């Protein structure tokens, strides 16, 4: 009898253990299902709207690519392009928060805004002067006997505007060759067509021009290069700026920069890869040219003459920002110098690249 009772007790305990185990599995599966739902929720982040101020320039190519190929949508970003006609209003709109992102040149007027207390953050590359890549150059008339920078002493040099990137490039390259802006006459001509006409009519002894305008001048036969700026100095000509509001929203800012880095990689691999010293078309070359043509309203053949260099990951030449601030302050083109770390943030892009 005792033996039967013990056997019955053992069997009852076994049933309890089986039921408990089954219940545990059910709960475990439920937990896994909930985790899966949470994971799916994390994979679909809340949609964020980002307004991007930019110009219809080739250097905006990564943004064109991201818009055209749906890269923003993949990160849950509703990106809207706001088109401007000049660089300075983009910086003003970014600082005021009228746009969330500004894509434009880095000029003395922008630094003056910062010196006066306006808030914006430079986070990524949008074009730079780089050795081995044709971008901006000093040109002289075809029949000029000027062959090197030192021979520009006492000459007239055409630039776009006082305090512009062209002003900066002229000054820095002159200084590298033992001269200064005081040794020449800088002539503001307000526009690229103005520079080209002044060179053609020999109203000035030299001008700075960028591609594709360099190629146009050479093909028409009225000008020749004496030096490429990128072979003289590394220079961050333009950048991607974030408004203070977007920069403070780190999650949204990193999502934007993940898209931007993906697009700069797409751009670089299509149009900037080299075999030896020669740039060769990448796998998506024709596609990228067509995208740029669509957004800039330019002919593809013209675009091919002037594809600006930028870092493959969109990384900023951060140290150069301080160099620029100090130079503009020395030349009294900005009210005062300041620490560039106030307006440079490279950590956001670094974190976005890791993700």
């Amino acid at each position: 009898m005792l033996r039967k009772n013990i056997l019955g007790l053992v069997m009852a305990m076994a049933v309890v253990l089986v039921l408990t185990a089954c219940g545990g599995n059910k709960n475990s599966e439920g937990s896994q299902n909930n985790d899966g739902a949470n994971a799916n929720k994390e994979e679909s982040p809340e949609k964020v709207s980002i307004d991007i101020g930019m110009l219809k320039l080739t250097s905006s190519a990564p943004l064109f690519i991201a818009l055209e190929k749906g890269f923003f949508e993949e990160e849950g970003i509703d990106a809207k392009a706001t088109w401007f006609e000049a660089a300075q209003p983009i910086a003003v709109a970014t600082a005021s928060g009228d746009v969330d992102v500004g894509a434009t040149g880095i000029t003395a007027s922008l630094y003056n805004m910062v010196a006066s207390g306006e808030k914006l953050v430079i986070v990524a590359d949008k074009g730079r002067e780089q050795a081995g890549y044709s971008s901006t150059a000093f040109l002289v008339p075809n029949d000029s006997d000027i062959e090197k920078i030192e021979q520009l002493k006492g000459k007239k040099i055409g630039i776009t505007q006082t305090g512009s990137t062209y002003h900066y490039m002229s000054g820095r390259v002159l200084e590298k060759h033992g001269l200064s802006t005081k040794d020449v006459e800088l002539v503001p001509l307000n526009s690229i067509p103005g520079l080209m006409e002044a060179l053609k009519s020999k109203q000035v002894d030299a001008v700075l021009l960028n591609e594709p305008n360099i190629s146009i001048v050479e093909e028409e036969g009225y000008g020749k290069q004496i030096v490429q700026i990128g072979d003289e100095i590394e220079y961050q000509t333009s950048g991607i700026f974030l408004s203070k509001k977007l920069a403070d929203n780190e999650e949204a800012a990193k999502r934007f920069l993940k898209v931007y880095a993906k697009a700069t990689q797409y751009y670089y691999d299509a149009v900037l890869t080299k075999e030896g010293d020669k740039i060769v078309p990448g796998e998506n070359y024709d596609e990228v040219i067509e995208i740029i043509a669509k957004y800039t309203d330019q002919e593809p053949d013209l675009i091919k003459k002037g594809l600006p260099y930028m870092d493959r990951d969109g990384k900023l030449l951060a140290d150069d920002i301080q160099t620029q601030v100090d130079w503009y302050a020395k030349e009294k083109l900005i009210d005062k110098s300041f620490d560039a770390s106030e307006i440079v943030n490279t950590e956001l892009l670094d974190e976005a690249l890791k993700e």
Side-chain angles (χ1 to χ4, degrees):
M1 184 72 176
L2 180 60
R3 188 171 180 179
K4 285 183 180 180
N5 289 341
I6 292 172
L7 181 59
L9 181 61
V10 169
M11 290 178 68
M13 290 177 64
V15 170
V16 171
L17 288 171
V18 169
L19 290 173
T20 302
C22 289
N25 286 340
K26 184 177 180 181
N27 289 338
S28 176
E29 287 172 6
S31 175
Q32 287 173 359
N33 288 337
N34 288 336
D35 288 346
N38 290 336
N40 289 334
K41 189 175 180 181
E42 289 174 4
E43 288 169 8
S44 303
E46 183 180 350
K47 205 163 187 81
V48 61
S49 294
I50 293 181
D51 197 356
I52 307 169
M54 55 180 148
L55 302 168
K56 293 186 175 183
L57 298 176
T58 306
S59 59
S60 299
L63 293 168
F64 303 155
I65 291 167
L67 288 166
E68 188 71 9
K69 295 189 68 64
F71 292 172
F72 286 114
E73 287 86 345
E74 291 171 7
E75 283 296 325
I77 296 173
D78 179 17
K80 296 183 177 67
T82 298
W83 302 106
F84 288 77
E85 297 297 326
Q88 178 60 11
I90 296 178
V92 173
T94 309
S96 67
D98 289 339
V99 297
D100 303 296
V101 176
T104 190
I106 303 172
T107 63
S109 57
L110 182 142
Y111 292 133
N112 267 324
M113 285 173 50
V114 174
S116 66
E118 298 286 351
K119 301 294 184 183
L120 48 75
V121 183
I122 309 175
V123 294
D125 183 10
K126 187 189 164 282
R128 68 173 73 163
E129 299 293 332
Q130 183 79 15
Y133 292 86
S134 180
S135 183
T136 307
F138 270 107
L139 286 87
V140 298
N142 235 19
D143 59 356
S144 173
D145 60 359
I146 296 173
E147 296 179 346
K148 54 186 180 179
I149 297 297
E150 288 82 355
Q151 292 175 284
L152 291 173
K153 186 173 183 177
K155 304 296 185 182
K156 292 182 178 180
I157 300 175
I159 60 171
T160 48
Q161 293 176 328
T162 300
S164 65
T165 56
Y166 281 31
H167 190 160
Y168 178 82
M169 287 185 279
S170 297
R172 287 287 313 282
V173 173
L174 287 168
E175 288 174 358
K176 185 177 177 181
H177 290 266
L179 302 175
S180 75
T181 53
K182 295 178 181 178
D183 293 312
V184 300
E185 182 183 349
L186 294 178
V187 183
L189 293 165
N190 299 317
S191 69
I192 298 298
L195 290 172
M196 296 169 76
E197 180 55 39
L199 181 68
K200 190 173 187 177
S201 60
K202 300 180 184 178
Q203 297 173 49
V204 293
D205 300 293
V207 298
L208 269 81
L209 282 175
N210 61 353
E211 289 287 13
N213 303 298
I214 296 169
S215 295
I216 293 171
V217 167
E218 291 178 329
E219 287 170 7
E220 294 186 8
Y222 62 86
K224 61 183 179 182
Q225 297 182 54
I226 58 171
V227 70
Q228 277 276 337
I229 301 300
D231 292 336
E232 296 289 313
I233 59 170
E234 276 194 322
Y235 170 40
Q236 188 70 59
T237 57
S238 57
I240 298 294
F241 310 91
L242 303 186
S243 68
K244 186 177 186 302
K245 180 180 178 181
L246 180 56
D248 288 345
N249 184 348
E250 289 192 13
E251 190 269 339
K254 284 191 287 186
R255 279 160 62 186
F256 169 81
L257 288 169
K258 282 172 69 176
V259 171
Y260 187 71
K262 180 177 180 178
T264 57
Q265 290 166 3
Y266 200 94
Y267 170 80
Y268 187 102
D269 292 345
V271 304
L272 293 177
T273 54
K274 282 187 170 184
E275 288 182 2
D277 294 331
K278 186 178 179 181
I279 298 174
V280 295
E283 181 182 353
N284 301 303
Y285 181 84
D286 290 334
E287 179 196 18
V288 167
I289 296 298
E290 289 298 327
I291 290 173
I292 296 170
K294 174 182 175 179
Y295 282 84
T296 61
D297 300 319
Q298 293 184 15
E299 291 298 321
D301 285 345
L302 189 61
I303 292 165
K304 291 174 184 178
K305 297 178 187 295
L307 293 158
Y309 178 87
M310 60 189 74
D311 181 78
R312 185 176 182 274
D313 292 328
K315 289 190 174 183
L316 192 72
L317 194 62
D319 291 346
D320 187 54
I321 303 302
Q322 188 67 61
T323 301
Q324 292 180 38
V325 170
D326 294 342
W327 188 87
Y328 281 123
K330 174 178 71 72
E331 294 290 311
K332 302 190 185 309
L333 292 166
I334 62 175
D335 296 334
K336 61 181 180 179
S337 186
F338 57 87
D339 188 340
S341 64
E342 295 177 26
I343 58 168
V344 172
N345 183 329
T346 57
E347 289 82 5
L348 285 170
L349 179 58
D350 288 341
E351 290 174 19
L353 287 167
K354 289 176 185 177
E355 293 179 12

